[in-house]
Amino acid sequence: MFRKMRRFKQQLEEEECREVLRQQKRGVLSLLGDGGYPYGIPMNHWYSEEDGTIYFHSAKEGHKLDAIKACDKVSFCVYDEGWRKPGEWALNIRSVVVFGRISLVTDEAKAREIGTALVRKFTDDEAYLEKELKHALPRVQCLALVPEHITGKLVNES
C-alpha cells in the first residue's frame, strides 16, 4: 500500500526515525482540507514510546478538526536541524514522514498525560505546567496519530 523509498540508500533505520520523532519539538501535519485542498500546519507533538502514538493538542473547533472528521488519514513530517561535516557547507538533515490515522482523544486522564508531556518537552517549570493544566487543558482537544507507515531519510543539501 505504501511506496518503497526511491532513494533507499538514504533511508533511515526504524530506531533512527523514532529518535527524530522523540527529539524534535514540531513538524507539519497534513490533512485533506476544504474543497480537497491539502492542508498542512505546523504542530507541536509528543511521540509516546510506550504505545508508538504521536499526540498533539489543538483548539476544539476549526479547519483542522473539520478535516479530521471528514477524513482521518493524515501524514506528519518532522526533520531535525541538521549538521555539517567538517569543512563542508552542506547540511545533512534527517527527515521522517509518518502516514496514519488520527482521532480525537476523549479520555480526560489521557488528555492530561498528553498535555503534561507536551509542556515538559519545552520546559521543566512545574508552576507553568500546573497553570497550563488548570487553565488551558479544559479548552484543548488532544489528538492521537496512530502510525501505519513510517519512513525516514538522510539528505545532504549539496
Side-chain angles (χ1 to χ4, degrees):
M1 175 189 319
F2 295 100
R3 296 179 184 207
K4 291 187 180 202
M5 186 176 294
R6 188 176 58 81
R7 302 195 67 191
F8 61 89
K9 290 180 180 177
Q10 295 174 286
Q11 189 163 354
L12 299 178
E13 296 293 326
E14 186 177 328
E15 178 51 38
E16 201 167 1
C17 290
R18 286 194 299 264
E19 179 184 330
V20 172
L21 289 170
R22 275 191 306 269
Q23 291 179 351
Q24 299 309 308
K25 294 180 177 172
R26 56 193 60 84
V28 175
L29 180 66
S30 295
L31 310 110
L32 188 59
D34 293 347
Y37 281 96
Y39 180 52
I41 46 174
M43 298 282 290
N44 299 330
H45 73 281
W46 168 53
Y47 174 72
S48 170
E49 294 182 71
E50 184 178 309
D51 62 10
T53 301
I54 302 167
Y55 294 100
F56 308 93
H57 73 288
S58 172
K60 290 193 175 201
E61 60 182 39
H63 190 171
K64 179 174 43 261
L65 289 189
D66 291 345
I68 290 168
K69 290 172 186 171
C71 179
D72 67 345
K73 291 181 180 179
V74 300
S75 69
F76 182 59
C77 178
V78 178
Y79 58 93
D80 67 13
E81 294 178 23
W83 70 93
R84 289 183 173 87
K85 293 178 182 175
E88 293 186 10
W89 65 265
L91 277 174
N92 296 281
I93 298 171
R94 297 179 304 167
S95 63
V96 174
V97 177
V98 178
F99 296 92
R101 294 181 181 262
I102 195 164
S103 61
L104 281 60
V105 174
T106 56
D107 179 78
E108 288 183 32
K110 187 66 178 179
R112 186 173 182 83
E113 176 188 0
I114 295 164
T116 300
L118 281 166
V119 168
R120 287 200 170 128
K121 224 175 157 176
F122 292 89
T123 182
D124 59 359
D125 184 335
E126 291 297 314
Y128 177 79
L129 170 63
E130 289 307 315
K131 178 183 164 209
E132 286 296 296
L133 292 175
K134 181 177 180 182
H135 299 290
L137 189 61
R139 299 187 321 267
V140 166
Q141 175 62 62
C142 291
L143 307 168
L145 168 53
V146 176
E148 293 180 349
H149 182 71
I150 299 176
T151 187
K153 71 179 178 179
L154 175 63
V155 173
N156 180 278
E157 287 188 327
S158 64

